[in-house]
Amino acid sequence: MADDPGGRDAAADGGTVARGPALSSRLARSELVRSLPFWLPPALLMGLFVYGAIAWNGLISLTEWSGLQPNPAYESVDLSQYAALLSDPTFGTAVRNTVVLLVAFTLVTLALGLVLAVLVDQQVRFENTVRTVYLMPMSLSFVVTAVFWSWMYNPEIGLINVGLRSLGLGLLTQRWIADPQFKLGAVVFALVWQFSGYAMVVYLAGLRAIPTEQYEAARADGASTLRMYRRVILPQLRASTTSAAVVLMVFALKAFDFLFVMFGTNPGPSADILAMMMFREAFGKTNWAYGAAVATVLFAMALAVIGPYLYVQYRRGEL
Amino acid sequence: MSTREVAGVEVDLSPSRVALYGVLAAMVAFYLAPLESGLMTALKTNDAFFGSSPFAPPAPAGFTLAPLFEAWARLQGPLTNLNGALVNSLFMAVPATVLSAFLGSVAAYGLTNLEWRGQTAVLFLFVAGMFVPYQSVLVPLTRFWSVVGLPGLLAGVPLLADRAGLVALTVTHTAYGIPICTVLFRAYYATLDESMLEAARLDGASAAGVYTKIVLPLSVPIFAVTLIYQFTQIWNDLLFALVLVSQPSNEVVTIALNKLQGSMVSQFNLQMAGAFVAALPTLVVYVLFGEQFAKGVAGETQ
């Protein structure tokens, strides 16, 4: 409303010339314009590297770019790389392993994290120390944990097999990371070790957010501890479960570093995942366009996980 | 309930309590086992680690610090070696951490404490950016840096002339760090007292004035969380370094450790010592600032 006098003057002066200042001063006062210098530069930098690169990757995947060709030929684009993917048996294996890794890792990590959170939530002494130790593996690089676990899994003198033998369970010893039957399982186990502390942190925060009256009410009703957790507590942890699951799946999609250090670029059909196949095709064999096509599939998988999640967050007004 | 409240004074010896502590202690052992086994192995001679249990401390005859010294020499050498892998990692991780935290802070301010329509759409892009698997940007990323031609651009710049790979890594980590930093700062800024900011605005403070005079000084705790978390993430990364660093003099510590493991196949004591040297900065940061790291971790979950 404060603009009105200026607006009337402007009309009297005859239109466009004086309408400028009024508009620009209104613009200058708008919060959008005032906010631009803050978020726009970071958004541009991030947008270029994240969304620009994703689009560019999609474009490259439509070309035939490979080997020593200096540039992708953008003139002729088609879906031939994707067609080739469908008839490539490695791709099918990699998709299957990626899904198995994602699902197994996420489920086991969540389950272990939940159990740990419930245990730590029993007003135990040394709670801080215990929490710190459980979360510690997450502060380590995949490179470091892969070096540790290669040693743990050493068939002759690694801790796993030595431990099994000392317990009289020598029958159970395996060549964990050499035997195709156990490879992926061994990777999942090590990743669970690394990230279950994270799931515990998320669940612990969820548990602490539940008002104590609800525990007491359930107790007063004579519910057993187990029953109370199943009926009263677990349903309220659904939000923690969803968000932890999404983050864990994204970690699993990034587990490339771990596999790369443990196995190199050829983990074999039993442990090959899409992220590895992409790297091998693009940076090992210089099949740039083919690698980009694998990358697009990987991105689509990530989108399938996070898209619905972000939409639900948005609907709940939590974004 | 009352037994719980006095648990600090009296020792509750009920079987369920004992079992609870037993399980918690067993899990402590589980999480520490790979580190313990690694550390013990790093302190043993070749004969000792082949001949003894991987978790047993070294016997006096089998004790040695040689693997630690050799790993240090391979990953860094003397601290004055400015092309050592540890120094290289610091050289790119510190600026990338500070830059991404600062950019996240200003972006979060613009997207939280200034109200305008369409904010959610922009915010959506930031949050989604957190979850993008890096493989899906890798080919264009390497293409981008080769088109930019950083070594040529930096040729005359002192200190950076032979560090093109590290500069590319710094910029790349900064860019991909912005989403998580923004999310961490936004969650914190949303809790700031709006009436205080409004009062400053009515006093005639500009948006930048409100940021530097009020918001920034209040941001110290969240800066601590973000810096700790980002530093750990950037230090630990292997993938970007694999594709962006070609000169051996620009190798970061994750690359150097991977090479060490690949070339010293059955020298497990040396491999373990290398793992500890490479993890040292993040372990120190974690032991000193575990609380902040845990908050950063929780921030991933919004």
Side-chain angles (χ1 to χ4, degrees), chain A residues 49 51 71 123 132 196, chain B residues 4 31 115 125 143 176 286:
Chain A
F49 274 86
Y51 298 103
N71 290 304
Q123 272 107 346
T132 306
S196 38
Chain B
R4 285 182 169 191
Y31 287 108
E115 292 296 328
L125 291 179
R143 181 91 191 111
Y176 289 104
Y286 182 73

Side-chain angles (χ1 to χ4, degrees), chain A residues 186-211:
Chain A
V187 169
V188 169
F189 188 79
L191 293 179
V192 168
W193 170 81
Q194 194 167 358
F195 292 107
S196 38
Y198 161 76
M200 178 206 64
V201 166
V202 174
Y203 275 126
L204 203 54
L207 284 173
R208 301 256 151 107
I210 299 172

Side-chain angles (χ1 to χ4, degrees), chain B residues 54 90 112 118 148 212 256:
Chain B
L90 272 182
T112 311
V148 168
T212 50

Side-chain angles (χ1 to χ4, degrees), chain A residues 31-32 34-35 38-39 42-43 45-46 48-51 53-54 56-57 60 65 70-72 74 112 116 119-125 128 130-144 146-152 154 157-159 162 189 192-193 196-198 201-202 216 219 240 243-244 246-247 250-251 253-254 256-257 260-261 275-276 278-279 282-283 288 291-292 295 298-299 302 306 309-311 313-314 318-319, chain B residues 1 4 7-8 10-11 17 20-21 23-25 27-28 30-35 37-38 41 49-50 53-55 103 106-107 109-111 113-116 120 122-145 171-172 174-176 178-179 186 201 207-208 211 229 232 236-239 242-243 254 257-258 261 268 271-272 275-276 278-279 282-283 286 291 293-294 297-298 300-302:
Chain A
E31 293 271 287
L32 168 60
R34 274 150 47 99
S35 75
F38 294 96
W39 62 265
L45 180 60
M46 186 272 296
L48 169 75
F49 274 86
V50 176
Y51 298 103
I54 289 171
W56 193 358
N57 180 77
I60 290 175
W65 190 28
N71 290 304
Y74 298 115
L112 183 57
L116 292 177
L119 293 181
V120 169
D121 198 33
Q122 307 301 312
Q123 272 107 346
V124 295
R125 290 209 228 175
N128 280 335
V130 168
R131 261 185 8 216
T132 306
V133 170
Y134 290 1
L135 189 61
M136 180 147 60
M138 204 186 150
S139 73
L140 298 173
S141 168
F142 274 131
V143 185
V144 171
V147 169
F148 282 152
W149 280 95
S150 305
W151 171 231
M152 294 286 284
N154 183 292
I157 48 175
L159 184 58
V162 168
F189 188 79
V192 168
W193 170 81
S196 38
Y198 161 76
V201 166
V202 174
E216 277 154 17
R219 280 271 158 71
S240 309
S243 40
V246 169
V247 174
V250 175
F251 283 143
L253 286 175
K254 290 182 181 174
F256 165 88
D257 287 9
F260 180 81
V261 176
M276 185 60 78
M278 181 273 157
F279 187 87
F283 298 93
W288 304 108
L298 191 63
F299 174 69
I306 60 174
Y309 169 69
L310 290 180
Y311 181 70
Q313 293 283 93
Y314 168 71
E318 282 172 20
L319 204 67
Chain B
M1 279 293 160
R4 285 182 169 191
E10 281 168 36
V11 181
R17 280 313 263 183
L20 171 65
Y21 281 103
V23 173
L24 289 175
M27 290 312 288
V28 166
F30 169 66
Y31 287 108
L32 289 182
L35 287 99
S37 161
T41 307
F49 81 75
F50 272 116
S53 274
F55 55 86
L103 289 172
V106 288
Y109 173 68
L111 292 171
N113 303 107
L114 298 166
E115 292 296 328
W116 48 279
T120 320
V122 177
L123 190 69
F124 187 83
L125 291 179
F126 275 85
V127 176
M130 237 168 39
F131 298 110
V132 170
Y134 292 150
Q135 258 78 9
S136 54
V137 296
L138 228 44
V139 171
L141 186 67
T142 47
R143 181 91 191 111
F144 170 79
W145 285 115
V171 177
T172 306
T174 304
Y176 289 104
I178 289 173
R186 197 186 123 83
R201 267 181 228 127
Y211 176 72
Y229 188 68
T232 309
N236 287 346
D237 169 75
L238 172 73
L239 183 58
L242 273 180
V243 300
T254 43
L257 175 61
N258 180 47
Q261 198 220 14
F268 291 108
Q271 290 184 17
M272 297 305 124
F276 273 100
T282 51
L283 276 178
Y286 182 73
E291 206 59 40
F293 180 82
V297 163
E300 286 261 14
T301 337
Q302 304 220 5

Side-chain angles (χ1 to χ4, degrees), chain A residues 16 24 33-34 43 45 47 60 85 88 128 137 142 178 186 207 222 224 231 253 282 301 312:
Chain A
T16 47
S24 72
V33 174
R34 274 150 47 99
L45 180 60
I60 290 175
L85 270 185
D88 184 345
N128 280 335
F142 274 131
L207 284 173
S224 72
R231 291 278 168 81
L253 286 175
M301 284 178 76
V312 170

Side-chain angles (χ1 to χ4, degrees), chain A residues 19-89:
Chain A
R19 229 163 106 202
L23 184 68
S24 72
S25 74
R26 204 184 309 148
L27 265 179
R29 259 178 279 125
S30 96
E31 293 271 287
L32 168 60
V33 174
R34 274 150 47 99
S35 75
L36 276 179
F38 294 96
W39 62 265
L40 196 58
L44 285 179
L45 180 60
M46 186 272 296
L48 169 75
F49 274 86
V50 176
Y51 298 103
I54 289 171
W56 193 358
N57 180 77
L59 190 58
I60 290 175
S61 76
L62 300 176
T63 68
E64 307 288 326
W65 190 28
S66 74
L68 294 173
Q69 270 175 275
N71 290 304
Y74 298 115
E75 304 83 53
S76 61
V77 292
D78 57 33
L79 293 171
S80 60
Q81 306 295 347
Y82 294 93
L85 270 185
L86 291 179
S87 54
D88 184 345

